[in-house]
């Protein structure tokens, strides 16, 4: 078969070896994994997540009499087949809006890659090195496909759903040891299932969880089918009736194979500091800079203009008056209000105050304006610019070139651990002691001879309970 | 909530009552169901179908210790959860290219509607009247959405995969007794998962089975989630970031609600006579008319020009030299060669002779040409026109206005029964006696107080075996 972008990318994913990944990329991947664990735990108790979990239990039957499938469902520590574990963990980890994002592709890799990596690594007793290599394969593939599909794609499609399906297939295919041509089959079966529309956003509907759940599950399915001989389209990405043809009007095939093996896109991934849509973060950090520099109290602020890229207006513009916490995370005024009042827009701040009267009042002071510089830099760089007018007529301009969590302003392991503890506590998914044990274990994942359970102690307890 | 097309259509599907469906539409629906059963049986042994079935068994665990889930998998008479039964029966029934098609929407309703209707009716012990109403809801919804998305959609997307997801949700939602607003949620969760690209066709890949499997399974999932409170986008069809926005450039919202309750699109559905892509049927029947009228032997034919619509060229043009039976079904020359030699292009004719030397030789005599009249009539009418030139220089024009199986030239119950027997025997899915028993039962489905097993005797035998 002649070389072409889909094949080149599939071959890279199939052959990616742990030893070829630079040490600092491995370290960053471990950080991304631990960061993801916090988000997965944070989905516990969320209605859409629990609904998908109920569906999975009903659709999947019970894996064995004791309910002990090979793969861990993190919100309730139950066990399932890899398919359903990936589905439920995929649903859970995109709920709190705290999972990672790659700026240039506007793609959230962790929520579709790690559910698959964890479920299959547990089922196949893979090593930590295999786990890391599979995760990096998913990140590198997904990020490049997101960049390839371009800005036109993201206008209508939730890239994490569409591209995420192929990223999940790359991760699953790597853990299953697919050959390059089998990996190409997996890409074909995954890419032809690419879906996820932004229409749900205006209704505060639950589709976001469905998109990540099914991207993870469908990608895993595509790889398992490929391992069993199921054939996929060989040019699913760039072909005349492939993903770009159907889902984009500005696709650039060169992006698919951009510096494979030398540029590590995984390490370009940003952590989310605020628990809100990433499009709000640059302005939030810029406002924070102004508020801190000039010691402004919220009541002193008369008006905030957030100078943003068009993508922010496209995604955030739909929500005027947020009715739910989730919708509030897509509302610039709410996010800036929380930042002005609390210095931070985290899960607890949203849950307790997104519709508080002072936040609603602040929301009405905020507007967005398209900014030529910010828009030109996007999506490679997410510059934050705000203009703040005070009640006594002063005007301050605030700016950040890399919002907190971006590669040049990344989170430390301590900050990631604190974030996980906060998310686990918020959802009641783990006690502080459990989270500490889990963290100690998770930081070591790349060295583990066999990827074990996230909740080791609890699994033992559960086994003991069944035995009793 | 204000009325809008998605809501109107969802309300119609949720409230469709058996007694409101004209008797002749019910009868036609029973015919479509029986016709579908034949196609579902014909998938037995097909590699992609069996691969999906293996995946389902692996992903779903075992529904209970005796392997007796509530819903029947027709290719092997096993039992599964509704989710996996719908997935496998959906994969199976689109394999032989013998399942039905609605011309105007270029949508194959049976293969996504009946797997869901049967799986849920069996699981919920629904009546035959509920089964029929649910099937008609799926047909009416899917056909209208296919018409709505227009010709631009079908150029890149396999409508049966994309639209099929919502049709399956309508059928599932009706059987689950969803309210209109819950049905709207189901449409939202289904529509945002709409996928299926034509790219696989050029490679003879297996994606077609994946598309129908997952349209059925995802549609069923969407309805089950909606019943459990999962929210979907309320304008998934016509919204600014909905299906039409993402997947079409010539969508017409008026088609969504076209004469709901008075126009029965279900009854406009065509049965497939030849076991090939429907785009070949008009020319096949036109050639047959010429061959029969002039008693032409294949060796007397020097050249055939099939005068076709653009959609035929788009779909069939990709395949030049078919390498597999499945690909041959998308090759106009092969289909016309089989018709010239055997008077019929059925599953057996394809299996035994698609690459025979005389068929390959005939294939090279066939070309397609865009025809203004045929193209203008399409997709509402699929006119067949051929020009046949004989080796001794005679030129004959052949024409059919309604290919065999179309509503005005429909199949009789005897012809449907013969077709099912042929498909069941071809795949080894049922003996003649078993197929006869199954048929006797299936013709009565609308009168059944409870939709039982398709293979009644075998189920009894299986139960007895387990009891023993």
């Amino acid at each position: 078969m002649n070389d072409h972008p889909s094949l080149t990318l599939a071959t890279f994913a199939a052959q990616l070896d742990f030893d070829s990944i630079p040490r600092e990329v491995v370290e960053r991947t471990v950080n991304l994994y631990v960061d993801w664990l916090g988000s997965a735990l944070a989905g516990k108790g969320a209605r859409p997540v629990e609904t998908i979990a109920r569906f999975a239990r009903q659709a999947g039957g019970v894996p064995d009499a004791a309910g002990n499938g090979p793969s861990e469902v993190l919100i309730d520590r139950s066990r399932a087949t890899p398919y359903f574990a990936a589905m439920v963990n995929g649903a859970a980890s995109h709920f709190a809006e705290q999972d990672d994002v790659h700026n240039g592709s506007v793609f959230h890799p962790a929520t579709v890659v790690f559910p698959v990596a964890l479920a299959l690594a547990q089922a196949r007793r893979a090593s930590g090195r295999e786990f890391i290599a599979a995760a990096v394969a998913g990140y590198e593939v997904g990020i490049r496909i997101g960049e390839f599909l371009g800005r036109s794609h993201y206008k209508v499609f939730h890239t994490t759903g569409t591209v995420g399906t192929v990223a999940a297939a790359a991760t699953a295919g790597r853990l299953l040891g697919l050959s390059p041509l089998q990996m190409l089959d997996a890409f074909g079966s995954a890419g032809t299932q690419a879906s996820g529309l932004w229409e749900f956003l205006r209704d505060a509907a639950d589709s976001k969880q469905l998109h990540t759940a099914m991207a993870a599950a469908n990608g895993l399915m595509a790889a398992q089918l490929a391992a069993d001989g199921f054939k996929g389209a060989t040019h699913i990405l760039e072909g005349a009736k492939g993903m770009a043809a159907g889902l984009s009007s500005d696709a650039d095939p060169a992006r698919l194979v951009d510096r494979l093996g030398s540029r590590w896109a995984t390490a370009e991934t940003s952590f989310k500091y605020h628990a809100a849509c990433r499009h709000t973060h640059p302005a939030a950090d810029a406002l924070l800079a102004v508020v801190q520099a000039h010691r402004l109290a919220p009541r002193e602020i008369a008006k905030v203009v957030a100078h943003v890229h068009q993508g922010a207006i496209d995604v955030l513009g739909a929500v005027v008056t947020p009715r739910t916490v989730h919708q509030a995370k897509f509302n610039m005024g709410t996010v800036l209000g929380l930042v002005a009042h609390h210095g931070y827009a985290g899960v607890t701040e949203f849950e307790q105050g997104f519709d508080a009267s002072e936040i609603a009042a602040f929301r009405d002071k905020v507007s967005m304006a398209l900014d030529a510089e910010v828009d030109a830099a996007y999506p490679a760089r997410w510059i934050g610019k705000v203009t703040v007018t005070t009640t006594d007529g002063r005007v301050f301009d605030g700016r950040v070139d890399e919002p907190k969590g971006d590669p040049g302003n990344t989170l430390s392991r301590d900050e990631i651990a604190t974030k996980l503890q906060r998310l686990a506590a918020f959802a009641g998914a783990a006690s502080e002691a459990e989270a500490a044990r889990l963290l100690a274990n998770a930081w070591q994942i790349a060295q583990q001879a066999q990827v074990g359970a996230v909740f080791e102690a609890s699994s033992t307890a559960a086994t003991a309970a069944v035995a009793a």
Side-chain angles (χ1 to χ4, degrees), chain A residues 236-451:
Chain A
I236 194 64
L237 304 174
E238 75 282 24
K241 297 184 181 188
M243 282 178 73
L247 312 170
S248 171
S249 59
D250 63 345
D252 175 7
R255 306 306 299 265
L256 287 171
V257 295
D258 177 39
R259 291 167 286 154
L260 280 172
S262 61
R263 169 197 172 202
W264 294 96
T266 307
E268 300 164 359
T269 305
S270 300
F271 298 92
K272 265 192 176 176
Y273 185 62
H274 302 290
C277 175
R278 185 70 181 172
H279 290 298
T280 66
H281 292 212
D285 285 356
L287 175 63
L288 201 56
V290 169
V291 164
Q292 289 172 342
H294 304 282
R295 299 175 177 268
L296 295 179
R299 60 181 159 67
E300 296 177 90
I301 296 175
K303 187 176 149 193
V304 180
V305 179
H307 306 283
V308 297
H309 52 275
Q310 184 62 45
I313 293 171
D314 291 344
V315 171
L316 305 174
V319 177
V320 177
T321 305
R323 286 172 282 135
T324 64
V325 166
H326 188 258
Q327 222 175 12
K329 293 177 175 181
F330 286 81
N331 181 262
M332 181 66 90
T334 304
V335 175
L336 297 195
L338 291 173
V339 164
H341 282 81
H342 307 294
Y344 180 60
V347 283
T348 309
E349 287 72 17
F350 272 105
E351 196 71 26
Q352 296 178 352
F354 87 90
D355 56 356
S357 59
E358 70 274 18
I359 301 300
F362 196 96
R363 192 180 68 215
D364 295 337
K365 302 175 184 173
V366 174
S367 61
M368 287 188 287
L370 180 65
D371 183 274
E373 181 202 6
V374 173
D375 195 56
Y378 174 88
R381 293 167 55 221
W382 294 45
I383 299 168
K385 285 166 72 174
V386 293
T387 302
V388 179
T389 308
T390 63
T391 48
D392 56 5
R394 289 172 293 163
V395 177
F396 301 113
D397 286 317
R399 178 189 181 103
V400 293
D401 281 283
E402 290 203 83
K404 190 165 178 68
D406 263 18
N409 189 10
T410 193
L411 301 192
S412 67
R413 287 201 166 182
D414 278 352
E415 285 174 320
I416 293 170
T418 302
K419 183 177 158 190
L420 183 142
Q421 283 279 10
R422 195 188 281 145
L423 289 170
F426 169 75
S431 69
E432 196 177 330
E434 286 172 330
R437 273 201 302 278
L438 173 166
L439 275 163
N441 193 36
W443 291 125
Q444 300 305 317
I445 192 159
Q447 286 81 48
Q448 289 169 356
Q450 192 175 302
V451 172

Side-chain angles (χ1 to χ4, degrees), chain A residues 82-83 120 124 172-173 176 178 186 219-230:
Chain A
Y83 181 63
L120 277 179
R124 298 175 63 84
L176 294 172
L178 297 188
L220 183 145
M221 178 186 190
Q224 289 196 333
L225 289 174
D228 197 19
F230 197 88

Side-chain angles (χ1 to χ4, degrees), chain A residues 46 52 57 118 170 215 259 293 308 312 459:
Chain A
I52 289 173
R57 281 193 287 273
L118 185 66
R259 291 167 286 154
V308 297
S459 309

Side-chain angles (χ1 to χ4, degrees), chain A residues 207-233:
Chain A
S207 309
K208 210 173 197 200
Q209 278 64 60
L210 187 61
H211 295 168
T212 53
M214 296 314 290
N218 290 336
L220 183 145
M221 178 186 190
Q224 289 196 333
L225 289 174
D228 197 19
F230 197 88
K231 309 307 283 176

Side-chain angles (χ1 to χ4, degrees), chain A residues 110-169:
Chain A
T111 190
V112 292
V113 164
F114 284 118
V116 169
L118 185 66
L120 277 179
Q122 290 181 333
R124 298 175 63 84
R125 304 175 190 278
S127 70
R129 292 159 60 94
E130 292 293 307
F131 174 89
I132 294 291
V136 172
Y139 272 70
E140 298 295 322
V141 164
I143 288 167
R144 283 180 178 77
I145 300 176
E147 292 176 337
F148 157 66
L149 290 176
R151 293 174 71 152
S152 66
H153 179 69
Y154 188 71
K155 274 184 174 294
V156 182
F157 292 96
H158 180 200
T159 304
T160 304
T162 53
V163 167
T165 312
V166 191

